[in-house]
């Protein structure tokens, strides 16, 4: 088979790495790819949101299956275009991708389906929103409706912060038309976890649980990022809680999307807040998480390709997934300054030691090849990922590798995985 992967981050690198192991696959292309993916796939210089360009390429190369990494092309309707041209593509249609593309749609949908989520109001009028925030309880969460590259959620401690958030989103339009509407919601307290299911419109298979680390600094301090590291499994999600999440969140979502006339195929990613009262949905995403994919896919024993094909062909009821019992940890090495401004183009050294390494894989997130050298080319640069007999071993292995990889102005968190030990009998070791 010929596979096309769309995207250029660590998530797309782990997808290429996993798919490369499939005996069904002869050729892999990645658009646009990165310096690491170039070792596994032929990178083609087409941006991830150039639907027409991607469609031309896939038709001309007779691609058998296209896998979309990021949300933007899904929300723009790439699946509808490919399917209309008779090309197989893994992911939700434009109307199903609204679960991520519109927070107003997602919240109203959850409300209709009785899916646990923070209580909320939606507004398309700035003055009405301001009025509401003057009577609300704090902290309060304000969210731009549309895609905002992970920056559209603002937690407000008081009225002044809420006013500023509404002004930026609805008047200054810092996220453009994504800020035409807002969701204003209750702030939930608890611990976050990510659960992903592969769906075919009717049936689903759960992927292993994972936890991301969204904030830039240790102990979850500082601004939100795309994710500074992850681990799988997430010990906070015990069997009983998982059963409840499937019954109260995953299954009602799939049934509800059918009632909406938008059957959900592809990855259903629920971002959860585990509170004292149980699991609440903070957000839906409609694609693999990044860096969650980097810790979940290395634990999957099945060939991924038949599972993705079964999602497209509505045959997921035939599948059961088999997981490696080991823990997986990904430590993201980022460019100093991220998630604010940073410089690109620094040479990365120390990567060769991990070619074919038996415990650690270095997934590239923001790199490119210049004259045969790998240089930094993004905020998140590398995802240093290790499997270990237990979580502590995986953490130690990833950090030992991080110490050997160097580039100027490199920054990484030193506490990836530490919060998992609260839910385990095994104590954490101080670093
Ligand atoms: P979202 O894009 O909706 O997941 O929001 C991004 C981040 O904002 C989440 O990962 C949480 O850390 C935080 N967040 C979103 N909604 C809430 C909420 N209702 N209560 C507390 N934190 C939230
Ligand atoms: N790691 C968070 C996300 O992929 O949205």
């Amino acid at each position: 088979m010929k596979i096309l992967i769309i995207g250029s981050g660590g998530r797309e690198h782990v997808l290429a790495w996993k798919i490369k192991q499939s005996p069904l696959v002869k050729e892999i292309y990645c658009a646009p790819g990165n310096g690491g993916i170039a070792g596994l796939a032929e990178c083609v210089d087409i941006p991830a949101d150039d639907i027409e360009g991607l469609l031309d390429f896939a038709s001309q190369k007779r691609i058998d299956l296209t896998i979309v990494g990021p949300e933007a092309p899904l929300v723009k309707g790439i699946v509808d275009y490919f399917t209309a041209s008779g090309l197989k593509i893994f992911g939700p249609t434009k109307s199903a991708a609204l679960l991520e593309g519109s927070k107003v749609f997602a919240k109203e949908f959850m409300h209709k389906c009785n899916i646990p989520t923070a209580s909320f109001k939606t507004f398309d009028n700035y003055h009405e929103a301001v009025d509401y925030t003057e009577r609300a309880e704090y902290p309060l969460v304000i969210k731009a409706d549309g895609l905002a590259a992970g920056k559209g959620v603002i937690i407000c401690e008081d009225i002044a912060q809420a006013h500023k958030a509404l002004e930026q989103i609805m008047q200054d339009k810092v996220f453009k038309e994504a800020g035409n509407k807002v969701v204003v919601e209750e702030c939930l307290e608890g611990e976050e976890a990510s659960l992903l299911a592969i769906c075919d419109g009717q049936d689903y298979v759960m992927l292993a649980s994972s936890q991301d680390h969204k904030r830039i600094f240790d102990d979850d301090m500082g601004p939100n990022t795309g994710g500074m590291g992850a681990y799988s499994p997430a010990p906070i999600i015990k069997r009983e809680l998982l059963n409840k999440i499937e019954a109260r969140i995953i299954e009602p979502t799939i049934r509800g999307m059918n009632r909406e006339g938008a059957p959900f195929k592809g990855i259903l990613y629920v971002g959860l807040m585990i509170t004292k009262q149980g699991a609440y949905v903070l957000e839906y995403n409609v694609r693999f998480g990044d860096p969650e994919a980097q810790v979940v896919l290395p634990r999957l024993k099945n060939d991924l390709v038949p599972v993705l094909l079964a999602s497209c062909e509505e045959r997921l009821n035939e599948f059961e997934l088999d997981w490696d019992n080991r823990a997986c940890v990904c430590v993201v090495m980022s460019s100093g300054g991220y998630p604010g401004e940073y410089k690109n183009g620094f040479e990365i050294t120390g990567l060769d030691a991990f070619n074919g390494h038996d415990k650690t894989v270095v997934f590239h997130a923001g790199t490119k090849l210049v004259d045969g050298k790998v240089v930094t080319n993004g905020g998140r640069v590398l995802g240093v990922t290790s499997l270990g007999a237990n979580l502590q071993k995986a953490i130690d292995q990833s950090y030992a590798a991080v110490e050997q990889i160097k580039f100027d102005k490199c920054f990484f968190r030193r506490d990836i995985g530490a919060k998992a030990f609260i839910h385990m009998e095994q104590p954490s070791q101080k670093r």
Side-chain angles (χ1 to χ4, degrees), residues 111-122:
H111 182 65
K112 248 193 291 189
C113 302
N114 227 350
I115 292 169
T117 188
S119 61
F120 70 101
K121 293 248 181 261
T122 64

Side-chain angles (χ1 to χ4, degrees), residues 147 168-170 172-180:
L147 294 185
Q168 287 180 336
I169 298 173
M170 298 188 90
D172 302 345
K173 289 276 158 76
V174 291
F175 307 119
K176 309 210 173 70
E177 70 274 23
N180 288 352

Side-chain angles (χ1 to χ4, degrees), residues 366-422:
T367 71
K368 75 175 176 188
L369 289 174
V370 177
D371 301 330
K373 289 179 181 158
V374 183
V375 305
T376 64
N377 189 40
R380 293 189 290 174
V381 177
L382 302 169
V384 181
T385 307
S386 306
L387 283 162
N390 59 40
L391 183 66
Q392 188 64 55
K393 289 199 168 126
I395 292 173
D396 291 345
Q397 179 67 32
S398 274
Y399 278 106
V402 163
E403 293 304 330
Q404 295 181 53
I405 300 168
K406 309 269 180 235
F407 55 88
D408 267 4
K409 309 275 189 301
C410 166
F411 175 82
F412 56 89
R413 274 179 66 156
R414 292 182 182 271
D415 66 342
I416 300 303
K419 64 184 167 192
F421 291 95
I422 307 165

Side-chain angles (χ1 to χ4, degrees), residues 103 118 141 143 153 155 185-188 192 214 224 273 282-283:
K103 291 194 190 288
V141 185
K143 303 183 172 185
V153 174
I155 297 178
E185 72 179 35
E186 164 201 16
C187 189
L188 296 173
E192 287 181 52
K214 289 213 159 106
N224 262 334
M273 186 70 93
L282 290 178
E283 63 166 346

Side-chain angles (χ1 to χ4, degrees), residues 254-275:
I254 294 172
R255 284 197 302 270
M257 289 305 281
N258 274 312
R259 281 196 302 272
E260 295 287 322
F264 193 90
K265 287 186 174 186
I267 297 285
L268 179 67
Y269 164 147
V270 288
L272 301 168
M273 186 70 93
I274 314 296
T275 73

Side-chain angles (χ1 to χ4, degrees), residues 25-100:
V25 172
K26 272 218 334 253
E27 286 167 47
I28 310 177
Y29 297 90
C30 188
N34 66 34
I37 297 172
L40 297 168
E42 186 176 322
C43 293
V44 280
D45 194 15
I46 308 172
D49 60 355
D50 176 3
I51 295 183
E52 225 171 278
L54 293 164
L55 189 57
D56 280 351
F57 176 80
S59 311
Q60 187 211 328
K61 285 279 179 202
R62 298 174 190 273
I63 298 291
D64 298 295
L65 175 66
T66 298
I67 301 156
V68 189
E71 59 277 17
L74 293 168
V75 170
K76 273 179 146 182
I78 190 167
V79 168
D80 309 57
Y81 287 100
F82 271 56
T83 338
S85 298
L87 288 163
K88 203 160 277 177
I89 182 164
F90 173 76
T93 58
K94 184 176 183 180
S95 42
L98 269 184
L99 279 182
E100 178 164 1

